[in-house]
């Protein structure tokens, strides 16, 4: 399962009360509707999974954010490789490994309970270290 998985089918709901529902497909139909687009989204109840795309409605104009979260994680790995190398040179590989495992565990748990996309991306960056 991918963190940024976008469902194949979702509904475009124009207002918070659920009025004016448009059936859209992320594959067949472009996200832009004739009169300006969606504000809210509704997903099938039998979807079977939840992802950051469905959790924070990263559809249409916001869909780039799901890929950005993965890119930020990879940037964290890039920086972490350099910093972990320096830490292991100074304090030994064993201590550096334990430190990295603790940081990875705490940041991964934090990212799974993130209430906002910004905090999710920040904790994923730290998890990359």
């Amino acid at each position: 399962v991918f963190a940024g998985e976008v469902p194949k089918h979702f509904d475009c709901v124009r207002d918070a009360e659920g009025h004016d529902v448009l059936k859209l497909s992320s594959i067949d139909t472009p996200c832009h509707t004739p009169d300006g687009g969606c504000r809210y989204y509704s997903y099938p109840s039998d979807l079977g999974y939840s992802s950051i795309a469905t959790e924070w409605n990263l559809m249409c104009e916001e869909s780039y954010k799901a890929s950005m979260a993965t890119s930020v994680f990879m940037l964290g790995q890039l920086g972490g490789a350099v910093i972990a190398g320096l830490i292991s040179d100074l304090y030994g590989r064993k201590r550096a490994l334990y430190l990295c495992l603790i940081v990875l565990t705490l940041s991964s748990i934090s990212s799974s309970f993130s209430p906002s996309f910004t905090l999710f991306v920040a904790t994923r960056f730290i998890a990359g270290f």
Side-chain angles (χ1 to χ4, degrees):
V1 176
F2 297 100
E5 178 70 22
V6 176
K8 290 185 172 51
H9 300 282
F10 55 89
D11 297 333
C12 172
V13 182
R14 303 264 174 96
D15 61 9
E17 288 79 36
H19 300 105
D20 196 13
V21 176
L22 293 174
K23 299 287 185 187
L24 296 176
S25 167
S26 61
I27 296 172
D28 303 327
T29 307
C31 288
H32 301 289
T33 57
D35 61 349
C38 296
R39 290 190 201 145
Y40 306 97
Y41 298 94
S42 174
Y43 308 102
S45 59
D46 62 346
L47 193 58
Y49 65 88
S50 176
S51 68
I52 62 170
T54 60
E55 185 80 20
W56 292 302
N57 290 322
L58 302 181
M59 301 292 169
C60 301
E61 296 85 20
E62 302 288 319
S63 63
Y64 73 93
K65 289 183 178 180
S67 299
M68 185 187 71
T70 303
S71 297
V72 169
F73 176 75
M74 294 299 170
L75 282 173
Q77 284 189 332
L78 179 68
V82 173
I83 292 173
L86 293 173
I87 291 172
S88 67
D89 286 345
L90 291 174
Y91 301 107
R93 288 180 286 172
K94 200 176 205 180
R95 289 183 182 166
L97 176 66
Y98 289 146
L99 176 66
C100 289
L101 286 175
I102 290 169
V103 169
L104 175 65
T105 301
L106 294 176
S107 61
S108 294
I109 291 170
S110 298
S111 71
S112 67
F113 292 108
S114 296
S116 70
F117 180 74
T118 305
L119 186 59
F120 175 79
V121 170
T123 55
R124 293 302 294 163
F125 178 79
I126 295 168
F129 265 62

